[in-house]
Amino acid sequence: MRKASELVEEVKFQKKGSSYSLIHLPRELKVIGTGRSAWAFKVKNENKVIKLFFPFFDHLAQKEGEVYEKLSHSVTFPEIYEVGPNYIVMEYIKGKTFYQCLTTGVRIPTKAIEEVEKGLAFARSKGLNPSDIHLHNLILTQEKEVRIIDVVRYTQKKTCYQWRDLARAYRYFYQKSYFPKKFPKWFLEAIAYLYKYCKRLSQYRNNKELK
């Protein structure tokens, strides 16, 4: 395989408003994830992923690389192989995100929730503050083990309650035998929207009371 730095040089984006579109991709790479600050590319024929950050967010590559280094002794997080000026090269995890499990009906076992909590506890023991934990960055592997990705926000100071709320929803609803295990995407997106709206509303009220 060519060096990651060479492959990254050939990836070309075009900015459209506040988002980016891909206009050129070397044949060795395949798009596997898109986000607000970066896209992820699987290196064909290798168990590696290149996460490439957009120009305004390229400083996050070093930041996320440092977080992965701190988490390198935990099997819950992928290995990090290289950190460049605007990209990181990491282990490819084969499996389904929790979001994909919910849209395809793959059952998420109780053990998976426990593994997430152990992984987050390990991160805290390293002085990190796990944040922005959602259905898209939790992966259930083919061996029914859990891997956690997208750790760039683990250095922020404010408390994030997303995982606490997800775990509560799992225990209060999902694990009940009568509760559905498969949902359409529109339903999950609607729940996510309502969750964010309620959080913003609660924060607005709290700020208003402090004035």
Side-chain angles (χ1 to χ4, degrees):
M1 185 196 88
R2 289 190 290 162
K3 293 181 179 179
S5 57
E6 296 175 355
L7 295 174
V8 164
E9 282 294 323
E10 292 189 19
V11 178
K12 302 298 180 184
F13 292 108
Q14 184 177 49
K15 197 171 189 301
K16 292 184 176 180
S18 60
S19 62
Y20 288 82
S21 60
L22 184 67
I23 59 175
H24 184 264
L25 185 69
R27 68 186 190 295
E28 295 97 325
L29 301 180
K30 175 185 177 182
V31 178
I32 60 170
T34 61
R36 290 171 295 179
S37 60
W39 280 28
F41 305 93
K42 167 74 168 61
V43 181
K44 295 178 181 178
N45 301 318
E46 293 198 34
N47 287 323
K48 291 182 179 180
V49 171
I50 296 176
K51 184 174 181 179
L52 177 60
F53 292 84
F54 301 136
F56 185 73
F57 300 97
D58 53 10
H59 64 285
L60 296 179
Q62 186 67 36
K63 188 175 182 179
E64 186 159 25
E66 290 173 356
V67 174
Y68 274 123
E69 287 292 345
K70 289 185 178 181
L71 299 171
S72 61
H73 296 295
S74 171
V75 296
T76 309
F77 299 90
E79 285 188 63
I80 185 81
Y81 301 125
E82 182 184 345
V83 179
N86 61 341
Y87 68 89
I88 59 175
V89 183
M90 54 195 286
E91 175 188 7
Y92 171 67
I93 307 299
K94 192 172 184 179
K96 291 182 180 294
T97 64
F98 279 21
Y99 182 90
Q100 291 170 328
C101 288
L102 291 176
T103 58
T104 59
V106 174
R107 188 179 183 88
I108 302 171
T110 303
K111 178 188 172 186
I113 304 303
E114 294 170 351
E115 286 187 12
V116 173
E117 295 185 333
K118 287 179 181 178
L120 299 182
F122 177 81
R124 293 187 190 98
S125 74
K126 295 298 180 179
L128 299 168
N129 179 29
S131 305
D132 196 33
I133 314 298
H134 52 73
L135 298 174
H136 292 281
N137 56 26
L138 301 171
I139 299 176
L140 186 67
T141 71
Q142 294 179 325
E143 296 74 31
K144 301 302 179 183
E145 296 177 342
V146 168
R147 296 291 184 272
I148 305 174
I149 60 173
D150 295 340
V151 299
V152 70
R153 295 190 182 179
Y154 281 31
T155 58
Q156 71 178 26
K157 301 300 181 184
K158 68 177 182 179
T159 303
C160 178
Y161 297 103
Q162 283 187 196
W163 171 249
R164 181 203 66 179
D165 296 338
L166 278 175
R168 285 179 177 177
Y170 180 93
R171 295 187 173 102
Y172 294 158
F173 302 106
Y174 183 88
Q175 70 175 2
K176 306 298 184 185
S177 60
Y178 57 80
F179 195 78
K181 302 300 182 283
K182 183 179 180 180
F183 302 90
K185 291 182 179 180
W186 68 262
F187 179 82
L188 296 179
E189 296 300 328
I191 294 295
Y193 175 83
L194 288 173
Y195 176 81
K196 292 176 181 177
Y197 175 80
C198 290
K199 283 294 182 182
R200 287 196 297 268
L201 183 61
S202 177
Q203 186 176 19
Y204 171 77
R205 287 175 174 173
N206 290 337
N207 292 339
K208 195 172 182 180
E209 289 175 0
L210 291 174
K211 291 181 180 180

